[in-house]
Amino acid sequence: MDKTFEPQSIEKQCYQEWETAGLFKPSGEGTPYSILLPPPNVTGSLHMGHAFQHTIMDALTRYHRMKGDNTLWQVGTDHAGIATQMVVERQLNAEGKTRHDLGREDFVKKIWEWKEESGGTITQQMRRLGTSGDWDREVFTMDENLSKAVTEVFVKLHEEGLIYRGKRLVNWDPVLLTAVSDLEVLNEEENGHMWHIRYPLEESGDSIIVATTRPETMLGDTAVAVHPDDERYQHLIGKNIKLPLTNRLIPIIADDYVDPEFGTGCVKITPAHDFNDYEMGKRHNLPMINVLTEDARINDEAPERYRGMDRFDARKQVVSDLEDLDLLLKVEPHKLKVPRGDRSGSVIEPYLTDQWYVAVESLAKPAIEAVEAGEIRFVPENWNKTYYQWMHNIQDWCISRQLWWGHRVPAWYDDQGNIYVARTEAEAREKHKLADDLVLHQDNDVLDTWFSSALWPFATLGWPEKTPELATYLPTSVLVTGFDIIFFWVARMIMMTKKFTGQIPFKEIYITGLIRDENGDKMSKSKGNVIDPIDVIDGIDGDALVAKRTRGMMQPQLAEKVAKRTRKQYPDGFNAYGTDALRFTFAAMASTSRDINFDMGRVEGYRNFCNKIWNASRFVLMNTENEDCGLNGGKMELSLADRWVWAKFQQVVQEFETAIADYRFDIAAQVAYEFTWNQFCDWYLELTKAILNNPDSSDAQKRGSRHTLINVLENLLRLMHPFMPFITEAIWQRVAPLCKSLPDNVSIMVQSFPAVEQDRIDAQALEDIEWVKRFILGIRNIRGEMDISPNKPLDALLRNASNEDIRKLKATRPFIDKLAKLQKIDNLMQGEKGPASATALIGEMEVLIPMAGLIDKDAELARLQKAIEKMQKDVDRTEGKLANAKFVSNAPEAVIEKERTKLAQAKMQLVKLREQHQTIAEL
RNA sequence: GCGUCUAUAGCUCAGUUGGUUAGAGCGCUACCUUGACAUGGUAGAGGUCCCCUGUUCGAGUCAGGGUAGACGCACCA
């Protein structure tokens, strides 16, 4: 083995072997366990959020596979309608063309080509991460089977009246030229203005003042509303206004919706361009005048001078014209929420169009109940509040998109505008008994990407066919995802799966935190703080990192800042930390918090941990390969250290399993780390040296220690495999044959997970080794503080040693001699004072290191003084507690007893320390 | 407006049903090339647990109120 761990040398080959051997497939035996991969965008690439979630899913998958479950990780990718179409459109634009130049058919063909070309990127990157999904079952949302499911669901919902088509106000993206759902609109507060405009009445010279943030929409006003009880305007209700600029007559109406306190108490009503006005328009049967084109220019409904103007230019023109007419009273600055499309960033217009909707109310009810009844459990639990809040206020879902890339709406129209919904055109004709020569054309719209994603739990398992997979793996075990898509995806999967299978899609939903940069900022191209997980694995030099971060920026003016920041923070780029270090980092950071700040320092720490495992294994192999480890029989004697490490390991297995069951991957990682480094390496390996390197050890003792060394390591590798698949596999291949005879080409990933072995739990061994540790630490502390070389052999004297201490000492003598580097230990007689010494307290026993020629008097006094002060504080605090009558009368007896014991101990130790201080001071 | 979350060491974070001296990693200080590992070892330093009030024998933990910040939903033109 190399002296340091080189991840590059093992990862790729290892993965290929797993995949070729078909180890990612379900075993077909055992309790079903399944996870759905939230399908990433097929043409995307892996970001930190994916890497994090995929690590968690893979750890769970590997863990359950090793536990013997029939484990399926169902993988696949999403066609991501708008996002993908935009990418390809941008490529066309770069060639000076638009999608309309190609036409629908050729454009869609082009997207398929792009998908073939770049569609493999993310799944290849997932492989680099070691993910063990069943690639043979990989699906794409536009695959034939999935498309069939989409059509089936659409038709069935339509038959039940749960999908309908209607002309309504929708969120319209005037850049992408499509409707979007409420969820795809982000409302950001921005600085705007409030314009106060005078609307003259038709007859009297009277007028009314309205306040608006969107003066250009007045071209589509069809009323002005006041509150019915507003005394100021009572006399005007029912009168007409002569709308400036258009000279249309519009009524003054009364409606409760108007807040008399706000603005002037008069609201201009534009039903075709505002959601609230739309509702009011319906209540009062107002005409709806759409004054905008689909790309948000003024249309022919408006006076000629505005036609063709962009909405924002029109706004300026309208304001200026009103000013000329002396109808603009004032303009004040005003903060308002501006709706923007989450993809395009453009300002969304409420726009009157025909769209397809899902009536969600009846679907939402069972979906709410499933969570309320505890059939589906959110982890952490408080996310169910977020879920309920949205589900209780859910609005009908606009599912049609005016795009070309996606599942086309299965509806056909004749020239009269009749609509026929069916699985195919042929079915439509048959179902509605249409004449063969009747010309039909299919609906041009495609479905919202999330419509097909909503079917993911059952469509990927073969629905609408009744497949064995569907029967076995639904409901799936757990969904691992981010809180950002609870509404987009999670809620809709629950609704659809309930509706079409009668089952819940998953039993648990583990909501992960969001990965941010080390300052808690969201990673984004414009901030220049994006970290590519592959770069953490493979490393990247400083120049390449800067180039990567500044390439293709939307705002090139930020490039310099980004470059500067990057050079400052990562002057040499990233080291190649390897997949296992990155994965372990993710596991260790997966606590319950909702934001996770990614810190490269931790990756480095866990890379070092990998190296530690590597070198510990190197040590173990050096002492076991070509040695007798008891594999072929032979007498074995387990040392106290051997029994201790086994006992300790049982605790680790127990804690690890509990942590995984609670989705506390941070705790599981911590447990594994602590045992490996602080127990196995720091103590056990050192303790073994006292046996293996001791000429007095018997063959049986050596055999016992070698056997323990190799077998504990083998168990430990299996324990850590779900988090660190590559390094554990690489080492295990060398370790396992020393533990048991195995067929060729076996992998650690299909071995069983370590189980707690009751007969290895050994309280006495645990206690004895803890005593040894205290003894050794006591001596080391004296050495450290007294500046005595760790190499210098010392003599020690024991004072006040109990029979139990003597027993322990006898049992552990070789360990203590070796690790504390003692050459002689004598026991002082009762009452014997002993020479001037530095002392360590092990319970009631004192260990004396004679000072002659070794120890600096002042240094020892200072060391003792420090210990005395600490102990005194302890005594004071405990005494205070016990002196409190209320404490003694109210606290549980066990707690009081504990305090009493503690106080007695501390007082005794304090006395000893003072005596010692006195003795040294008198020298 | 409604709702959710966060505040603990210089930094990034754990801290379970309230109960020993509040922990880890990184960073820091001193010493150490000891045959697994300097990506290492040994010994240390470092905390007003955001603030106030309360409940309690006892509060980092529970309650109320504040301060600072993050997020979601709905919004007044």
Side-chain angles (χ1 to χ4, degrees):
Chain A
M1 283 174 91
D2 294 333
K3 198 172 168 182
T4 48
F5 169 55
E6 305 286 349
Q8 290 72 18
S9 63
I10 55 170
E11 293 181 0
K12 280 182 191 160
Q13 192 201 344
C14 195
Y15 193 90
Q16 260 169 25
E17 285 171 11
W18 290 333
E19 192 172 359
T20 325
L23 300 182
F24 302 153
K25 289 200 233 306
S27 64
E29 291 163 11
T31 316
Y33 183 88
S34 54
I35 295 184
L36 299 162
L37 175 78
N41 180 347
V42 67
T43 59
S45 53
L46 198 75
H47 58 59
M48 290 299 273
H50 293 127
F52 176 43
Q53 291 177 353
H54 295 181
T55 295
I56 302 293
M57 282 181 255
D58 191 54
L60 286 168
T61 300
R62 286 178 184 272
Y63 173 74
H64 282 275
R65 194 183 283 125
M66 292 177 82
K67 295 289 278 184
D69 292 343
N70 184 14
T71 307
L72 169 67
W73 185 4
Q74 174 63 51
V75 295
T77 50
D78 190 89
H79 66 281
I82 295 182
T84 309
Q85 173 162 331
M86 275 174 76
V87 172
V88 177
E89 256 185 307
R90 236 181 270 141
Q91 288 173 350
L92 277 183
N93 294 346
E95 298 167 25
K97 287 190 264 185
T98 72
R99 66 177 152 131
H100 299 282
D101 295 332
L102 271 74
R104 181 165 191 153
E105 202 174 316
D106 285 344
F107 179 69
V108 169
K109 214 159 118 193
K110 195 146 185 100
I111 302 182
W112 275 106
E113 280 165 21
W114 163 247
K115 185 252 173 188
E116 292 314 319
E117 189 188 312
S118 71
T121 307
I122 197 158
T123 50
Q124 287 309 319
Q125 289 178 319
M126 282 181 69
R127 285 174 167 88
R128 289 301 317 281
L129 208 64
T131 54
S132 62
D134 185 356
W135 296 111
D136 291 348
R137 295 187 51 81
E138 182 182 348
V139 289
F140 174 52
T141 45
M142 296 262 285
D143 282 348
E144 206 186 317
N145 291 345
L146 272 274
S147 301
K148 213 170 114 187
V150 167
T151 305
E152 190 65 27
V153 165
F154 187 98
V155 172
K156 286 207 163 132
L157 287 176
H158 183 262
E159 282 169 359
E160 289 188 42
L162 294 175
I163 280 183
Y164 62 92
R165 184 174 163 84
K167 196 179 197 95
R168 292 179 160 198
L169 215 47
V170 293
N171 298 297
W172 182 263
D173 189 317
V175 168
L176 298 174
L177 303 179
T178 177
V180 294
S181 75
D182 300 345
L183 289 176
E184 291 159 275
V185 180
L186 307 172
N187 290 295
E188 299 278 3
E189 191 159 88
E190 292 179 21
N191 291 319
H193 296 93
M194 180 80 90
W195 286 270
H196 293 248
I197 304 165
R198 181 189 303 281
Y199 279 12
L201 265 69
E202 179 191 10
E203 280 156 357
S204 67
D206 224 346
S207 66
I208 206 166
I209 314 293
V210 299
T212 180
T213 54
R214 297 203 56 188
E216 72 281 10
T217 63
M218 71 173 286
L219 301 172
D221 282 0
T222 54
V224 167
V226 298
H227 194 274
D229 303 335
D230 195 330
E231 287 175 7
R232 292 170 294 178
Y233 305 116
Q234 284 297 318
H235 62 293
L236 298 176
I237 295 170
K239 299 233 161 84
N240 278 336
I241 276 168
K242 191 170 181 188
L243 185 64
L245 308 181
T246 71
N247 294 325
R248 273 189 288 114
L249 289 182
I250 59 171
I252 295 172
I253 59 172
D255 194 290
D256 285 343
Y257 162 78
V258 180
D259 176 3
E261 306 295 314
F262 189 87
T264 58
C266 306
V267 191
K268 61 188 268 313
I269 303 300
T270 323
H273 295 288
D274 180 281
F275 288 101
N276 290 311
D277 293 5
Y278 178 78
E279 292 303 321
M280 202 185 296
K282 282 203 297 191
R283 280 198 292 276
H284 296 269
N285 282 316
L286 297 173
M288 305 202 178
I289 303 176
N290 172 24
V291 295
L292 291 178
T293 61
E294 61 176 17
D295 60 348
R297 293 171 182 279
I298 304 299
N299 70 11
D300 295 351
E301 291 290 339
E304 201 164 346
R305 63 182 277 122
Y306 304 108
R307 290 178 195 168
M309 286 179 118
D310 174 81
R311 55 188 156 164
F312 298 114
D313 296 335
R315 177 178 299 176
K316 282 182 198 145
Q317 192 61 56
V318 164
V319 168
S320 140
D321 290 350
L322 288 170
E323 211 166 3
D324 292 347
L325 292 168
D326 209 18
L327 294 172
L328 184 71
L329 261 75
K330 62 173 173 178
V331 187
E332 42 191 25
H334 182 73
K335 272 201 192 339
L336 72 164
K337 290 281 174 74
V338 178
R340 287 182 182 274
D342 64 352
R343 291 287 164 186
S344 66
S346 60
V347 176
I348 295 293
E349 283 295 338
Y351 196 58
L352 210 48
T353 53
D354 277 309
Q355 302 291 342
W356 292 93
Y357 294 88
V358 176
V360 284
E361 204 185 332
S362 67
L363 300 174
K365 200 165 170 271
I368 293 168
E369 284 163 2
V371 176
E372 280 174 343
E375 286 180 79
I376 301 176
R377 195 168 73 91
F378 276 94
V379 179
E381 209 180 341
N382 57 282
W383 286 110
N384 57 18
K385 290 190 183 161
T386 306
Y387 173 79
Y388 292 140
Q389 200 196 337
W390 188 69
M391 290 298 272
H392 284 301
N393 297 299
I394 193 165
Q395 302 292 312
D396 283 1
W397 174 17
C398 173
I399 49 170
S400 44
R401 298 289 180 275
Q402 287 63 52
L403 305 174
W404 289 350
W405 177 241
H407 299 100
R408 202 155 164 185
V409 173
W412 283 263
Y413 302 82
D414 61 22
D415 289 344
Q416 269 72 53
N418 294 310
I419 306 170
Y420 309 103
V421 170
R423 289 163 187 80
T424 59
E425 184 178 333
E427 192 190 83
R429 288 181 187 279
E430 197 194 313
K431 215 163 132 187
H432 296 95
K433 306 203 169 44
L434 305 177
D436 289 349
D437 59 351
L438 181 73
V439 179
L440 292 179
H441 62 270
Q442 190 175 357
D443 194 311
N444 283 322
D445 293 350
V446 300
L447 293 168
D448 182 2
T449 303
W450 295 105
F451 188 85
S452 52
S453 313
L455 320 183
W456 195 244
F458 51 101
T460 53
L461 296 174
W463 190 92
E465 308 303 323
K466 286 190 168 136
T467 60
E469 287 84 358
L470 199 59
T472 308
Y473 297 114
L474 192 76
T476 63
S477 307
V478 61
L479 180 75
V480 178
T481 193
F483 55 82
D484 49 335
I485 54 175
I486 288 178
F487 308 142
F488 275 108
W489 192 48
V490 178
R492 287 164 177 173
M493 277 194 288
I494 300 175
M495 292 193 282
M496 289 299 196
T497 310
K498 266 289 198 184
K499 176 72 185 169
F500 286 94
T501 70
Q503 304 212 52
I504 51 170
F506 23 72
K507 297 170 199 153
E508 294 184 310
I509 306 166
Y510 173 63
I511 299 289
T512 65
L514 230 53
I515 302 277
R516 296 165 174 278
D517 77 359
E518 67 288 344
N519 302 316
D521 289 327
K522 217 166 172 172
M523 288 189 188
S524 73
K525 188 87 189 164
S526 61
K527 286 206 190 86
N529 57 353
V530 172
I531 293 174
D532 181 338
I534 302 298
D535 291 340
V536 180
I537 294 172
D538 289 339
I540 185 168
D541 68 52
D543 291 342
L545 182 62
V546 169
K548 192 167 179 172
R549 285 185 167 185
T550 51
R551 193 186 307 135
M553 298 190 72
M554 301 286 260
Q555 298 152 282
Q557 72 275 15
L558 295 175
E560 201 174 319
K561 210 171 142 193
V562 165
K564 212 174 147 191
R565 170 184 172 155
T566 303
R567 284 196 197 284
K568 191 175 170 209
Q569 193 180 4
Y570 300 110
D572 304 315
F574 311 153
N575 288 323
Y577 294 115
T579 299
D580 293 313
L582 177 63
R583 287 175 58 124
F584 202 82
T585 308
F586 284 132
M589 294 190 313
S591 65
T592 54
S593 107
R594 73 168 53 175
D595 292 313
I596 291 165
N597 297 353
F598 188 81
D599 178 7
M600 203 60 83
R602 290 191 68 172
V603 187
E604 185 154 343
Y606 294 124
R607 186 276 315 263
N608 294 351
F609 179 53
C610 290
N611 190 55
K612 190 77 181 176
I613 297 168
W614 186 260
N615 276 289
S617 304
R618 220 156 66 90
F619 170 81
V620 172
L621 287 168
M622 278 168 129
N623 284 286
T624 50
E625 274 180 328
N626 307 316
E627 302 280 352
D628 181 357
C629 303
L631 184 57
N632 303 314
K635 195 163 175 270
M636 267 198 293
E637 195 179 309
L638 293 198
S639 72
L640 184 63
D642 295 330
R643 285 184 280 121
W644 169 78
V645 76
W646 274 122
K648 206 80 184 156
F649 185 70
Q650 306 315 309
Q651 295 177 340
V652 168
V653 173
Q654 183 61 61
E655 287 168 25
F656 190 94
E657 299 232 54
T658 306
I660 296 286
D662 292 340
Y663 297 100
R664 287 302 304 267
F665 302 96
D666 58 327
I667 294 174
Q670 173 64 30
V671 164
Y673 182 100
E674 203 276 341
F675 174 78
T676 305
W677 201 311
N678 303 122
Q679 306 302 331
F680 187 71
C681 292
D682 287 352
W683 289 103
Y684 181 63
L685 296 188
E686 297 304 322
L687 292 168
T688 351
K689 288 176 187 172
I691 292 171
L692 295 178
N693 301 338
N694 186 347
D696 298 336
S697 301
S698 70
D699 282 352
Q701 285 173 323
K702 285 186 180 172
R703 203 178 284 122
S705 281
R706 288 195 201 106
H707 184 267
T708 307
L709 267 177
I710 198 79
N711 278 282
V712 170
L713 176 60
E714 195 271 341
N715 271 271
L716 180 57
L717 291 170
R718 280 187 280 129
L719 181 94
M720 292 197 290
H721 180 260
F723 289 154
M724 318 178 98
F726 295 113
I727 189 173
T728 51
E729 176 76 293
I731 298 171
W732 188 84
Q733 289 298 334
R734 301 233 348 223
V735 166
L738 302 172
C739 300
K740 48 195 157 194
S741 52
L742 290 160
D744 288 345
N745 300 322
V746 284
S747 163
I748 190 176
M749 63 173 280
V750 288
Q751 301 302 306
S752 64
F753 194 80
V756 175
E757 299 174 77
Q758 292 300 326
D759 56 356
R760 295 222 187 259
I761 296 169
D762 188 336
Q764 188 66 56
L766 288 173
E767 188 192 319
D768 288 356
I769 293 292
E770 287 316 309
W771 183 88
V772 170
K773 285 184 181 177
R774 283 203 303 276
F775 199 120
I776 293 165
L777 289 172
I779 306 294
R780 280 183 187 164
N781 177 268
I782 292 172
R783 284 186 191 268
E785 304 248 327
M786 296 301 117
D787 223 5
I788 303 169
S789 159
N791 294 326
K792 188 173 177 62
L794 297 175
D795 293 339
L797 294 163
L798 304 184
R799 187 156 60 196
N800 199 27
S802 67
N803 289 339
E804 178 61 12
D805 289 326
I806 301 297
R807 181 195 68 74
K808 285 188 170 120
L809 181 68
K810 266 191 187 152
T812 63
R813 186 65 195 268
F815 300 135
I816 288 172
D817 286 354
K818 170 88 180 165
L819 271 68
K821 192 96 183 169
L822 295 182
Q823 56 188 2
K824 209 166 142 217
I825 304 177
D826 287 324
N827 200 2
L828 288 175
M829 303 311 265
Q830 186 77 33
E832 191 180 349
K833 215 153 181 254
S837 303
T839 55
L841 275 172
I842 320 296
E844 300 190 14
M845 177 179 77
E846 289 171 277
V847 182
L848 285 70
I849 303 295
M851 292 172 68
L854 272 180
I855 291 165
D856 170 0
K857 178 179 163 183
D858 291 337
E860 177 61 3
L861 282 176
R863 192 180 75 93
L864 286 168
Q865 191 54 44
K866 207 164 86 180
I868 287 167
E869 278 164 19
K870 214 171 157 187
M871 198 62 73
Q872 184 65 53
K873 259 164 97 178
D874 227 25
V875 169
D876 291 348
R877 186 178 21 245
T878 319
E879 265 180 344
K881 245 184 184 179
L882 287 166
N884 182 343
K886 284 182 180 167
F887 172 72
V888 180
S889 57
N890 287 319
E893 191 52 43
V895 173
I896 298 168
E897 193 46 45
K898 221 171 178 178
E899 291 295 319
R900 287 202 176 115
T901 317
K902 195 180 96 184
L903 180 61
Q905 276 278 324
K907 272 183 159 168
M908 181 273 297
Q909 300 201 332
L910 189 57
V911 168
K912 294 226 154 97
L913 287 168
R914 286 213 172 109
E915 280 170 10
Q916 184 62 18
H917 192 269
Q918 181 79 25
T919 313
I920 303 289
E922 283 166 2
L923 287 177

